[in-house]
Amino acid sequence: MARTTEPVLPLDQPRPLHGIAAARQIESAAAAVLPPHTLMQRAGLAVARLAQALAPHARRVCVLAGPGNNGGDGLEAALHLLRSGRPVQVLLMADAAALPEDAARSLQRACQAGARIETALPERLEADLLIDALLGLGARRAPEGAVAAAIGRTALHRGPLLAVDLPSGLHAETGAPLGDTVVRATDTLSLLALKPGLFTGQGRELCGRLWHDDIGVDEPQRALQAPLARLAPTLAGAGSLLRRQHAQHKGSFGDVVVIGGAPGMAGAARLAGRAALAAGAGRIYLSVLDPQAAGDDGRPELMHRPAAWSDTASLLTAATVVCGCGGGRAVAAVLPPVLQHVPRLVLDADALNAIAADATLQQALAARARRGQHTVLTPHPLEAARLLGCSAAQVQADRLNAALQIAARLQVVVVLKGSGTVLAAPARLPMINATGNALLATAGTGDVLAGWLGGRWAPTPGEDGWLPALDSVRLHGAAADAAAAAGRRGPLRAAELVEAMLALG
């Protein structure tokens, strides 16, 4: 049996992300063809090996074991750590008599190996390494009682904290905390199948470094269960900047029109234009909604085209249009001809707010797909909430479902921005992007993403926007990751971000 524990990121190929029901089916199918208790023994061994690799000099290890099979994995890990000569404290936050069969057997094995099982939770967890095996895949409600108290104690721990399968208190599918108490791990070992909640919402923040061990269940066996989503590659692939051929000219790479920049917000449109230029479009036209604003003096390559939305006979019907960046209320008036005539359309920011507030515009947007016109929406959670008629908190509570709802309702590609950006489209399996960090949390970076997407899309007019969106999101986050790796602490300013993406693309 070939097995390995490996880091999940970086990633060069998409990987399936299985929901709770599918992960349970994979586990049940594997257990049915193996001797009893095999999967839990393998899981515990994988946890123990990773624990020793993460903290090779740890003198005190504390395993927090909960009432289910996740606790059984922790008990098996304690057994292997004891056999390797490590002193291990096991805190069982459950009634031993009520443990599931597999976990009860692991408790017996740990006791036979000399483990000291304690049930009283100390005021402070004195350990060099904590192993969180409190709650696993089946957790559906806020932690309570002794388990909640143990999770609270982990907040005081300053050393390595390894979570088994997922941090206790985190929902496996949504990446949302189940309650007010949730483990913040330095490392998480996902067993058997990867879960969507590890990569979106608060999952990335709470999981720390992510590891995976298939515990001997190979990819063909896992592939029998349909995934809920896929994890997008983080490394550059075929979707990066297009290779230019010798005989091509600027007309070979398409035109982008940026419509936005209401009074006081012209900078947003300019940033989008700069990004579209860097992404590879042949010609960029800025159509700024502020009549007093001129072009972009810092980038004279960007051409000023007033009221481009009225040019419905030529420019608008052939170009890729990015609409909404800094558009303010003024953008609502230009949306009807844009929605009617543009073949490839990226809608961002105030264009999304205007559509959310107007049922007629929503109908016009949904009608585009029936005419063979393609649209990509790039909302942040609050803009997504307005489109759905709910709160931003509800969007964040289930980001995958929110993106899928918008995509189905409006027949568009959706890029739901945030930690673990979600890409969704009708009749497509959604994808979660794993690049990026909080260096992007500054004004203008969303305008850069929208503009880059338009510039990446323009040279490939036959595409529906999915691949340009996927590649743009990956590169957008990768630029922030590169800046963080280089020691950057402050925010990555939007104009710098354009150049950073160009350097990586």
Side-chain angles (χ1 to χ4, degrees):
M1 179 189 64
R3 286 177 47 211
T4 180
T5 295
E6 59 182 1
V8 177
L9 304 173
L11 185 66
D12 61 356
Q13 295 292 330
R15 293 187 68 170
L17 302 174
H18 288 92
I20 295 170
R24 290 212 176 282
Q25 288 293 326
I26 294 169
E27 182 178 0
S28 297
V33 297
L34 291 170
H37 200 55
T38 300
L39 287 179
M40 188 167 286
Q41 290 182 24
R42 291 179 181 178
L45 180 58
V47 172
R49 286 175 171 171
L50 181 58
Q52 292 180 91
L54 294 174
H57 304 298
R59 291 173 296 173
R60 298 170 299 174
V61 179
C62 177
V63 176
L64 296 168
N69 283 333
N70 192 258
D73 295 340
L75 290 164
E76 282 289 330
L79 178 153
H80 290 292
L81 290 167
L82 283 165
R83 286 177 175 173
S84 70
R86 301 208 177 230
V88 180
Q89 179 188 30
V90 179
L91 296 176
L92 180 62
M93 300 293 99
D95 178 1
L99 290 175
E101 182 180 353
D102 265 6
R105 185 170 176 182
S106 289
L107 174 60
Q108 182 183 34
R109 281 163 51 83
C111 290
Q112 289 172 348
R116 189 176 78 255
I117 309 298
E118 302 175 27
T119 56
L121 186 66
E123 283 299 316
R124 191 174 185 88
L125 302 174
E126 300 290 348
D128 302 307
L129 169 69
L130 282 185
I131 296 178
D132 162 33
L134 289 165
L135 297 174
L137 192 65
R140 301 292 186 101
R141 61 179 186 271
E144 299 174 342
V147 169
I151 292 174
R153 296 286 198 281
T154 66
L156 302 175
H157 180 69
R158 293 294 176 262
L161 197 166
L162 172 60
V164 178
D165 213 25
L166 69 161
S168 293
L170 183 73
H171 194 282
E173 290 185 357
T174 67
L178 293 165
D180 296 331
T181 53
V182 60
V183 165
R184 182 181 294 269
T186 59
D187 295 86
T188 297
L189 175 58
S190 183
L191 297 165
L192 200 59
L194 294 173
K195 296 86 182 172
L198 302 174
F199 302 96
T200 194
Q202 294 191 44
R204 290 185 61 197
E205 181 75 20
L206 296 172
C207 289
R209 291 174 296 188
L210 278 160
W211 305 81
H212 177 246
D213 196 300
D214 62 19
I215 57 174
V217 179
D218 59 23
E219 184 60 39
Q221 291 175 278
R222 298 198 301 274
L224 293 175
Q225 294 297 322
L228 199 62
R230 288 191 298 165
L231 184 63
T234 60
L235 300 174
S240 13
L241 287 180
L242 301 178
R243 188 177 299 278
R244 298 195 167 207
Q245 299 175 13
H246 196 275
Q248 286 181 310
H249 52 83
K250 64 185 179 184
S252 304
F253 303 103
D255 297 338
V256 171
V257 179
V258 176
I259 301 173
M265 295 184 286
R270 290 168 179 157
L271 284 168
R274 291 186 179 198
L277 179 68
R283 292 171 293 209
I284 315 296
Y285 299 92
L286 291 183
S287 193
V288 182
L289 296 167
D290 181 358
Q292 305 302 317
D296 186 340
D297 293 334
R299 282 293 174 196
E301 305 95 329
L302 305 181
M303 294 174 279
H304 192 50
R305 181 66 62 92
W309 53 89
S310 63
D311 188 0
T312 59
S314 56
L315 181 60
L316 214 62
T317 58
T320 300
V321 173
V322 178
C323 182
C325 302
R329 293 183 178 179
V331 77
V334 311
L335 279 170
V338 168
L339 293 171
Q340 177 68 32
H341 296 286
V342 171
R344 294 168 303 282
L345 178 59
V346 180
L347 292 171
D348 185 48
D350 289 315
L352 300 175
N353 294 329
I355 289 168
D358 189 328
T360 301
L361 290 177
Q362 292 171 34
Q363 292 168 5
L365 173 55
R368 288 176 49 79
R370 294 193 292 271
R371 296 194 297 267
Q373 297 168 319
H374 301 297
T375 315
V376 180
L377 275 55
T378 57
H380 58 52
L382 181 56
E383 291 158 353
R386 290 169 179 150
L387 289 168
L388 291 171
C390 65
S391 68
Q394 288 172 300
V395 169
Q396 291 294 80
D398 194 345
R399 288 169 52 79
L400 268 176
N401 187 50
L404 286 167
Q405 282 189 55
I406 297 171
R409 186 177 300 178
L410 298 174
Q411 293 296 293
V412 295
V413 174
V414 175
V415 176
L416 177 55
K417 296 180 288 193
S419 180
T421 290
V422 177
L423 285 85
R428 263 199 172 103
L429 195 64
M431 296 196 80
I432 297 178
N433 177 63
T435 65
N437 57 66
L439 294 184
L440 294 172
T442 188
T445 56
D447 304 311
V448 169
L449 176 61
W452 190 281
L453 202 167
R456 168 62 182 79
W457 197 359
T460 56
E463 295 185 358
D464 64 359
W466 176 265
L467 288 177
L470 183 61
D471 185 65
S472 299
V473 168
R474 178 199 63 78
L475 193 61
H476 190 252
D481 289 340
R488 182 70 171 259
R489 292 184 177 272
L492 187 58
R493 294 188 294 271
E496 295 177 296
L497 177 60
V498 174
E499 301 307 315
M501 291 176 70
L502 180 58
L504 289 178

